[in-house]
Coordinates of all heavy atoms in Angstrom, one line a residue:
E270 N -72.5 -155.9 -9.9 CA -73.8 -156.3 -9.4 C -73.7 -156.7 -7.9 O -74.8 -156.9 -7.3 CB -74.3 -157.5 -10.3 CG -74.6 -157.1 -11.7 CD -75.0 -158.4 -12.5 OE1 -75.4 -159.4 -11.9 OE2 -74.9 -158.3 -13.7
G271 N -72.5 -156.9 -7.4 CA -72.5 -157.2 -6.0 C -72.9 -158.7 -5.7 O -73.7 -158.9 -4.7
K272 N -72.6 -159.6 -6.5 CA -73.0 -161.0 -6.3 C -72.6 -161.6 -5.0 O -73.2 -162.4 -4.4 CB -72.4 -161.9 -7.5 CG -73.1 -161.6 -8.8 CD -72.4 -162.4 -9.9 CE -73.0 -162.1 -11.2 NZ -72.4 -162.8 -12.3
D273 N -71.4 -161.1 -4.4 CA -70.9 -161.6 -3.2 C -71.4 -160.8 -1.9 O -71.1 -161.0 -0.8 CB -69.4 -161.6 -3.1 CG -68.8 -162.6 -4.2 OD1 -69.5 -163.6 -4.4 OD2 -67.7 -162.4 -4.7
G274 N -72.2 -159.7 -2.2 CA -72.7 -158.8 -1.2 C -72.7 -157.4 -1.6 O -71.9 -157.0 -2.6
N275 N -73.5 -156.5 -1.0 CA -73.6 -155.1 -1.4 C -72.3 -154.4 -0.9 O -71.6 -154.7 0.0 CB -74.8 -154.5 -0.8 CG -76.1 -154.9 -1.6 OD1 -76.0 -155.4 -2.7 ND2 -77.2 -154.8 -0.9
Y276 N -72.1 -153.2 -1.6 CA -71.1 -152.3 -1.2 C -71.7 -151.1 -0.4 O -72.8 -150.7 -0.6 CB -70.4 -151.7 -2.5 CG -69.8 -152.8 -3.3 CD1 -70.5 -153.3 -4.4 CD2 -68.5 -153.3 -3.0 CE1 -69.9 -154.3 -5.2 CE2 -67.9 -154.3 -3.8 CZ -68.6 -154.8 -4.9 OH -68.1 -155.8 -5.6
Y277 N -70.8 -150.6 0.6 CA -71.3 -149.6 1.5 C -70.2 -148.6 1.7 O -69.0 -149.0 1.8 CB -71.8 -150.1 2.8 CG -73.0 -151.1 2.7 CD1 -72.8 -152.4 2.4 CD2 -74.3 -150.6 2.7 CE1 -73.8 -153.3 2.2 CE2 -75.4 -151.4 2.5 CZ -75.1 -152.8 2.2 OH -76.2 -153.6 2.0
E278 N -70.5 -147.3 1.8 CA -69.6 -146.3 2.3 C -69.8 -146.2 3.8 O -70.9 -145.9 4.3 CB -69.8 -145.0 1.6 CG -68.8 -143.9 2.1 CD -69.0 -142.6 1.5 OE1 -70.1 -142.3 0.9 OE2 -68.1 -141.8 1.5
I279 N -68.8 -146.4 4.6 CA -68.8 -146.1 6.0 C -68.2 -144.8 6.3 O -67.1 -144.5 5.9 CB -68.0 -147.2 6.7 CG1 -68.6 -148.6 6.4 CG2 -68.0 -147.0 8.3 CD1 -67.7 -149.7 6.8
N280 N -68.9 -144.0 7.1 CA -68.5 -142.7 7.5 C -68.4 -142.6 9.0 O -69.3 -143.0 9.7 CB -69.4 -141.6 7.0 CG -69.2 -141.3 5.6 OD1 -68.2 -140.9 5.1 ND2 -70.3 -141.5 4.8
V281 N -67.3 -141.9 9.5 CA -67.3 -141.6 10.9 C -67.1 -140.1 11.0 O -66.1 -139.6 10.5 CB -66.2 -142.4 11.7 CG1 -66.1 -141.9 13.1 CG2 -66.5 -143.9 11.6
V282 N -68.0 -139.4 11.6 CA -67.9 -138.0 11.8 C -67.6 -137.8 13.3 O -68.3 -138.4 14.2 CB -69.2 -137.3 11.4 CG1 -69.1 -135.8 11.7 CG2 -69.5 -137.5 10.0
F283 N -66.6 -137.0 13.7 CA -66.2 -136.9 15.1 C -66.0 -135.4 15.5 O -65.6 -134.6 14.7 CB -65.0 -137.8 15.4 CG -63.8 -137.4 14.5 CD1 -62.8 -136.7 15.1 CD2 -63.7 -137.9 13.3 CE1 -61.7 -136.3 14.3 CE2 -62.6 -137.6 12.5 CZ -61.5 -136.8 13.0
D284 N -66.2 -135.2 16.8 CA -65.9 -133.9 17.4 C -65.6 -134.3 18.9 O -66.5 -134.5 19.6 CB -67.0 -132.9 17.3 CG -66.7 -131.5 17.7 OD1 -65.5 -131.3 18.1 OD2 -67.5 -130.6 17.6
V285 N -64.3 -134.3 19.2 CA -63.9 -134.9 20.5 C -63.0 -133.8 21.2 O -62.1 -133.3 20.5 CB -63.1 -136.2 20.3 CG1 -62.6 -136.7 21.6 CG2 -64.0 -137.2 19.6
A286 N -63.2 -133.7 22.5 CA -62.3 -132.9 23.3 C -62.2 -133.7 24.6 O -63.0 -133.7 25.5 CB -62.9 -131.5 23.6
P287 N -61.1 -134.5 24.7 CA -60.9 -135.4 25.8 C -60.5 -134.7 27.1 O -59.9 -133.6 27.0 CB -59.8 -136.4 25.4 CG -59.0 -135.6 24.4 CD -60.0 -134.7 23.7
A288 N -60.9 -135.2 28.3 CA -60.5 -134.6 29.5 C -59.0 -134.6 29.6 O -58.3 -135.5 29.1 CB -61.1 -135.4 30.7
P289 N -58.4 -133.5 30.0 CA -59.1 -132.4 30.7 C -59.6 -131.3 29.9 O -60.0 -130.2 30.3 CB -57.9 -131.8 31.6 CG -56.7 -132.1 30.8 CD -57.0 -133.4 30.1
G290 N -59.7 -131.5 28.6 CA -60.3 -130.5 27.6 C -59.4 -129.5 27.1 O -59.9 -128.4 26.7
D291 N -58.1 -129.7 27.0 CA -57.2 -128.7 26.6 C -57.2 -128.5 25.0 O -56.8 -127.5 24.5 CB -55.8 -129.1 27.0 CG -55.6 -129.1 28.5 OD1 -56.2 -128.4 29.2 OD2 -54.7 -129.9 28.9
F292 N -57.7 -129.6 24.3 CA -57.7 -129.5 22.9 C -58.9 -130.2 22.3 O -59.6 -131.0 23.1 CB -56.4 -130.1 22.2 CG -56.3 -131.6 22.4 CD1 -56.8 -132.4 21.4 CD2 -55.7 -132.1 23.5 CE1 -56.8 -133.8 21.5 CE2 -55.7 -133.5 23.6 CZ -56.2 -134.4 22.6
S293 N -59.2 -130.0 21.0 CA -60.3 -130.6 20.4 C -59.8 -131.2 19.0 O -59.0 -130.5 18.4 CB -61.5 -129.7 20.1 OG -62.0 -129.1 21.3
V294 N -60.4 -132.3 18.6 CA -60.2 -132.8 17.2 C -61.5 -133.1 16.6 O -62.5 -133.5 17.3 CB -59.3 -134.0 17.2 CG1 -57.8 -133.7 17.6 CG2 -59.8 -135.1 18.1
S295 N -61.6 -132.8 15.3 CA -62.9 -133.0 14.6 C -62.6 -133.4 13.2 O -61.5 -133.1 12.7 CB -63.8 -131.8 14.7 OG -63.1 -130.7 14.1
G296 N -63.6 -134.0 12.5 CA -63.4 -134.3 11.1 C -64.3 -135.4 10.6 O -65.3 -135.8 11.3
T297 N -64.0 -135.9 9.4 CA -64.7 -137.0 8.8 C -63.7 -138.0 8.2 O -62.9 -137.5 7.5 CB -65.7 -136.4 7.7 OG1 -66.5 -135.4 8.3 CG2 -66.5 -137.5 7.1
I298 N -64.0 -139.3 8.4 CA -63.2 -140.3 7.8 C -64.1 -141.3 7.2 O -65.2 -141.6 7.8 CB -62.3 -141.0 8.9 CG1 -61.3 -139.9 9.4 CG2 -61.6 -142.2 8.4 CD1 -60.3 -140.4 10.4
S299 N -63.8 -141.9 6.0 CA -64.6 -142.9 5.4 C -63.9 -144.0 4.8 O -62.6 -144.0 4.6 CB -65.5 -142.2 4.3 OG -64.7 -141.9 3.2
Q300 N -64.6 -145.1 4.4 CA -64.0 -146.2 3.7 C -65.2 -146.9 3.0 O -66.3 -147.0 3.5 CB -63.4 -147.2 4.6 CG -62.7 -148.3 4.0 CD -61.9 -149.1 4.9 OE1 -62.3 -149.4 6.1 NE2 -60.6 -149.5 4.5
I301 N -64.9 -147.5 1.8 CA -65.8 -148.4 1.1 C -65.5 -149.8 1.4 O -64.4 -150.2 1.3 CB -65.8 -148.1 -0.5 CG1 -66.0 -146.6 -0.8 CG2 -66.8 -149.0 -1.2 CD1 -67.4 -146.1 -0.6
V302 N -66.6 -150.6 1.7 CA -66.4 -152.0 2.0 C -67.5 -152.8 1.3 O -68.5 -152.2 0.9 CB -66.5 -152.3 3.6 CG1 -65.4 -151.6 4.3 CG2 -67.9 -151.9 4.1
Q303 N -67.3 -154.1 1.2 CA -68.3 -155.0 0.7 C -68.6 -155.9 1.9 O -67.7 -156.5 2.4 CB -67.8 -155.8 -0.5 CG -68.8 -156.7 -1.0 CD -68.4 -157.6 -2.2 OE1 -67.2 -158.0 -2.3 NE2 -69.2 -157.9 -3.1
L304 N -69.9 -156.0 2.2 CA -70.4 -156.8 3.3 C -70.7 -158.2 2.6 O -71.6 -158.3 1.8 CB -71.6 -156.3 4.0 CG -71.4 -154.9 4.7 CD1 -72.6 -154.5 5.4 CD2 -70.2 -155.0 5.6
K305 N -69.9 -159.2 3.0 CA -70.0 -160.5 2.3 C -71.4 -161.1 2.6 O -71.9 -161.2 3.7 CB -69.0 -161.5 2.8 CG -67.6 -161.0 2.5 CD -67.3 -161.1 1.0 CE -65.9 -160.9 0.7 NZ -65.5 -161.4 -0.6
N306 N -72.1 -161.5 1.5 CA -73.4 -162.2 1.6 C -74.5 -161.4 2.3 O -75.4 -162.0 2.9 CB -73.2 -163.6 2.2 CG -72.3 -164.5 1.5 OD1 -72.4 -164.6 0.2 ND2 -71.3 -165.1 2.1
Y307 N -74.3 -160.1 2.3 CA -75.4 -159.3 2.8 C -75.9 -158.3 1.7 O -75.1 -157.7 1.0 CB -74.8 -158.4 4.0 CG -75.8 -157.4 4.5 CD1 -76.9 -157.9 5.4 CD2 -75.8 -156.1 4.2 CE1 -77.8 -157.0 5.9 CE2 -76.7 -155.2 4.7 CZ -77.7 -155.7 5.5 OH -78.7 -154.8 6.0
Y308 N -77.3 -158.3 1.6 CA -77.9 -157.6 0.5 C -78.9 -156.5 0.9 O -79.6 -156.0 0.1 CB -78.5 -158.5 -0.5 CG -77.5 -159.6 -1.0 CD1 -77.3 -160.8 -0.4 CD2 -76.6 -159.2 -2.0 CE1 -76.4 -161.7 -0.8 CE2 -75.7 -160.2 -2.5 CZ -75.6 -161.4 -1.9 OH -74.6 -162.3 -2.3
G309 N -79.0 -156.3 2.2 CA -79.9 -155.3 2.8 C -79.4 -153.9 2.6 O -78.4 -153.6 2.0
D310 N -80.2 -153.0 3.3 CA -79.8 -151.5 3.2 C -79.0 -151.1 4.4 O -78.6 -149.9 4.5 CB -81.1 -150.7 3.1 CG -82.0 -150.8 4.3 OD1 -81.6 -151.5 5.3 OD2 -83.1 -150.2 4.3
G311 N -78.7 -152.0 5.4 CA -77.9 -151.6 6.5 C -78.7 -151.4 7.8 O -78.1 -151.4 8.9
S312 N -80.0 -151.1 7.6 CA -80.8 -150.7 8.8 C -81.0 -151.9 9.8 O -81.3 -151.7 10.9 CB -82.1 -150.1 8.4 OG -82.9 -151.1 7.7
D313 N -80.8 -153.1 9.3 CA -81.1 -154.3 10.1 C -79.9 -154.9 10.7 O -79.9 -156.0 11.3 CB -81.9 -155.3 9.3 CG -81.2 -155.8 8.1 OD1 -80.3 -155.1 7.6 OD2 -81.6 -156.9 7.6
L314 N -78.7 -154.3 10.5 CA -77.5 -154.8 11.1 C -77.4 -154.7 12.6 O -78.0 -153.8 13.2 CB -76.3 -154.1 10.5 CG -76.0 -154.3 9.0 CD1 -74.9 -153.4 8.5 CD2 -75.7 -155.8 8.7

Side-chain angles (χ1 to χ4, degrees):
E270 295 178 18
K272 291 179 184 176
D273 295 330
N275 285 341
Y276 298 98
Y277 298 87
E278 179 181 20
I279 300 167
N280 283 299
V281 175
V282 178
F283 60 98
D284 191 359
V285 177
D291 297 330
F292 70 91
S293 300
V294 291
S295 60
T297 304
I298 294 181
S299 71
Q300 184 173 42
I301 304 289
V302 299
Q303 181 181 33
L304 300 184
K305 296 290 188 162
N306 300 314
Y307 176 76
Y308 303 95
D310 64 4
S312 63
D313 59 343
L314 294 174

